[in-house]
Amino acid sequence: MSTGEEDGEPLSPMARVFQLPGNDCCIITVIGCKTKINADVIRSGLNQNVFKHPRFSRKLSRDGLSWIKTQVNIEDHIFVADKDQNEIAEDGELFVEDYVSRLTMIPLDKARPLWDIHILNVKTSDADAVCVIRSHHSLGDGTSLMSLLAACTQTTSHRDKATIPALKRRKRVYKDKISWFVRLIQAIFSSVRLIWNTFVDLVLLLAIAVFLKDTKTPLKGDVGVESSPKKFCHRTVSLDDFRVIKEAMSMTINDVLLGVTQAALSRYLNNFPGKIRLTAGVFVNLRPDNGFQPLADMMAKNSKCRWGNYFSSISFPISICLEADPLVYLSKAKSAMDRKKHSLLPALAFSSTEFIFNTFGAKLGGTLLKRLVSNTTTFISNMIGPTDEISFHGHPIVYIAPSVYGHAHALTIHFLSYAEKMVISIAVDPNVIPSPHQLCDEIEDSLKAIKAALLERGLL
């Protein structure tokens, strides 16, 4: 082993898992711009900034166990798709979708830092050009990569650094009117409930890892789905629609997103016969603070908030049945999320996983993770993006649509709030789900139906 490899930064346990076959995941982010993209400006900007971010200027060691410093040749990481707009005509969206889909079948070169950027100066219905950023999941999770994007951009209004709100975890505040005895009873009840919920969730998680599988529906992939090409699409809706529903129903944005997703999947599977068991994996942020912290704290070597140390995932059944009242989905979602918040499963699952990785190796940990994924149907994630419109070296950004591929799901659904908009990003295996646009339509229609029901009842 060379001296550079000996001095390299060790990969976290989850980063090692993401290098294994069957779990070889990449994050792909499609960014729409208001103007044509000047490739030379992007190259110049990356030359000035890439060395500041260690994971993007390091490559894997030969044994795949550590990150080692390397000289980055920007030309090896930027690709410009030369295509005549007249030749594409009105099929800009189709060209972008096909291009991104083909990328999922081209592996990243592990002899270089595991990322690349593709510039498509193709006009679509909502952007004049598209930039596709692909990075291996072992470089970081979506939260840390979004923090990296914010650190490299400026707001279009004031040219300040982009800002993403960092949310503090809520602390319970007791009113003075509540006596110490009532507080004691509440604490005992809460502790018993916490232990019971954790026990039930842990048993369910183990059952899913060993034998409990979701119903084979038109949304669930077959064996080997992780190796199939993926297709991506997105939809942009108003963030205010989610906010007004949140306020009217006294719930969180995450509750609303889950309720809308349940309604959409129920509509999509309306004609499927029989009872359905459909389980979604939900990523839970276990960092001390919700939201985003400074990039150095999230990605730097030996940071306690380093990706892989404070992230876990949980799975829980989604109710799939067509309800006459769309508000029922919100109530079910809030109940499910409240229960999951009162459980130690995410922290316990992560600690157990870390123990398995360190004791038995990443191969066994990767096998368990793959079984958890393959026995469930989908992943749902939600991230907070910049609150204001941002630009990268003079290129104003219209939307940011992140997604992921390389895991054993035929469907993943990602939500990202950006500049008063909610971007819905969907990734599918086209062999299982031929048209992801239909799912986008179902989500948008479900959101409208829920809002209309609230208006009809005078709750808005």
Side-chain angles (χ1 to χ4, degrees):
M1 183 179 294
S2 68
T3 304
E5 290 179 349
E6 291 175 350
D7 296 336
E9 176 191 353
L11 270 70
S12 68
M14 282 303 296
R16 296 203 304 271
V17 167
F18 283 134
Q19 302 290 339
L20 297 174
N23 295 305
D24 195 2
C25 298
C26 288
I27 296 174
I28 197 158
T29 305
V30 181
I31 299 176
C33 296
K34 285 185 176 180
T35 61
K36 295 296 182 183
I37 301 174
N38 187 326
D40 292 333
V41 172
I42 300 298
R43 290 189 185 96
S44 175
L46 289 174
N47 272 318
Q48 296 172 18
N49 288 285
V50 71
F51 70 92
K52 298 178 183 178
H53 310 299
R55 297 284 175 85
F56 283 75
S57 57
R58 299 188 180 204
K59 65 178 183 178
L60 281 174
S61 61
R62 285 192 295 269
D63 57 10
L65 298 179
S66 60
W67 300 110
I68 57 175
K69 293 181 180 180
T70 187
Q71 195 71 27
V72 181
N73 182 4
I74 295 298
E75 295 295 333
D76 293 336
H77 296 268
I78 295 184
F79 303 88
V80 181
D82 292 324
K83 197 71 176 177
D84 187 355
Q85 184 69 49
N86 294 326
E87 182 182 342
I88 298 173
E90 300 298 325
D91 294 331
E93 271 89 359
L94 182 60
F95 175 81
V96 172
E97 288 177 10
D98 289 344
Y99 186 96
V100 178
S101 180
R102 288 194 299 272
L103 278 182
T104 64
M105 301 306 294
I106 303 173
L108 288 164
D109 186 354
K110 293 190 176 182
R112 303 168 181 164
L114 298 177
W115 61 273
D116 56 27
I117 294 177
H118 299 258
I119 297 173
L120 285 67
N121 278 315
V122 175
K123 186 176 178 59
T124 63
S125 60
D126 52 1
D128 281 346
V130 172
C131 177
V132 181
I133 302 175
R134 184 171 60 148
S135 59
H136 201 275
H137 214 324
S138 57
L139 294 181
D141 62 349
T143 306
S144 56
L145 293 177
M146 185 55 59
S147 183
L148 171 61
L149 179 63
C152 296
T153 56
Q154 306 84 31
T155 60
T156 56
S157 55
H158 304 294
R159 305 294 296 174
D160 298 325
K161 284 291 183 184
T163 57
I164 301 175
L167 306 177
K168 296 291 184 180
R169 295 190 182 275
R170 295 179 180 178
K171 295 182 180 180
R172 182 175 296 180
V173 179
Y174 293 99
K175 297 181 180 179
D176 294 335
K177 296 180 181 180
I178 300 178
S179 67
W180 68 267
F181 180 75
V182 174
R183 292 183 188 177
L184 177 62
I185 297 299
Q186 288 179 338
I188 293 174
F189 175 78
S190 179
S191 300
V192 172
R193 181 185 172 206
L194 179 68
I195 294 171
W196 174 251
N197 287 348
T198 303
F199 172 75
V200 172
D201 289 345
L202 186 59
V203 171
L204 177 61
L205 192 69
L206 291 174
I208 292 173
V210 177
F211 66 88
L212 190 59
K213 297 181 179 180
D214 278 3
T215 307
K216 184 66 175 72
T217 68
L219 295 175
K220 194 170 189 312
D222 295 318
V223 175
V225 67
E226 66 273 11
S227 302
S228 301
K230 299 300 183 291
K231 192 172 183 178
F232 305 87
C233 72
H234 73 275
R235 188 69 52 85
T236 302
V237 297
S238 172
L239 183 59
D240 278 340
D241 287 344
F242 291 91
R243 286 185 180 136
V244 295
I245 295 172
K246 163 183 170 286
E247 295 299 328
M249 297 295 290
S250 299
M251 54 177 54
T252 67
I253 290 289
N254 283 335
D255 298 337
V256 179
L257 292 175
L258 182 60
V260 170
T261 302
Q262 288 191 61
L265 297 183
S266 296
R267 293 161 66 108
Y268 187 86
L269 296 173
N270 183 33
N271 296 323
F272 186 82
K275 190 175 181 180
I276 296 175
R277 172 184 172 80
L278 191 154
T279 310
V282 177
F283 287 98
V284 178
N285 189 353
L286 298 180
R287 289 185 172 98
D289 291 323
N290 284 325
F292 294 77
Q293 295 85 50
L295 181 64
D297 292 338
M298 301 184 77
M299 298 187 75
K301 181 179 178 180
N302 296 328
S303 168
K304 290 185 177 181
C305 292
R306 183 174 62 188
W307 172 86
N309 285 354
Y310 287 92
F311 260 75
S312 182
S313 63
I314 58 174
S315 299
F316 59 90
I318 283 186
S319 175
I320 298 295
C321 58
L322 195 60
E323 302 284 354
D325 182 5
L327 299 186
V328 171
Y329 296 109
L330 293 180
S331 300
K332 289 181 177 180
K334 186 176 188 303
S335 176
M337 291 298 286
D338 285 346
R339 186 191 175 285
K340 290 299 175 180
K341 291 172 186 175
H342 205 75
S343 170
L344 295 176
L345 176 65
L348 185 61
F350 176 78
S351 299
S352 302
T353 304
E354 194 171 38
F355 171 77
I356 292 173
F357 289 169
N358 293 332
T359 306
F360 302 103
K363 190 172 182 180
L364 177 60
T367 300
L368 291 175
L369 177 62
K370 185 178 178 181
R371 288 189 63 85
L372 278 172
V373 175
S374 61
N375 286 347
T376 57
T377 299
T378 184
F379 272 140
I380 303 172
S381 75
N382 175 36
M383 287 195 301
I384 304 173
T387 53
D388 299 309
E389 185 180 89
I390 60 175
S391 68
F392 181 72
H393 290 276
H395 299 86
I397 294 175
V398 182
Y399 66 83
I400 305 170
S403 195
V404 66
Y405 69 90
H407 58 290
H409 274 158
L411 168 67
T412 55
I413 304 172
H414 300 266
F415 297 90
L416 184 139
S417 59
Y418 167 63
E420 298 303 311
K421 294 176 286 189
M422 181 67 78
V423 182
I424 306 163
S425 181
I426 290 181
V428 304
D429 179 348
N431 298 317
V432 180
I433 306 169
S435 177
H437 295 278
Q438 183 182 349
L439 280 170
C440 284
D441 292 338
E442 298 290 7
I443 292 176
E444 191 171 6
D445 291 343
S446 297
L447 177 63
K448 292 177 180 177
I450 290 173
K451 190 176 178 182
L454 291 172
L455 284 168
E456 184 180 346
R457 299 185 187 186
L459 297 177
L460 294 183

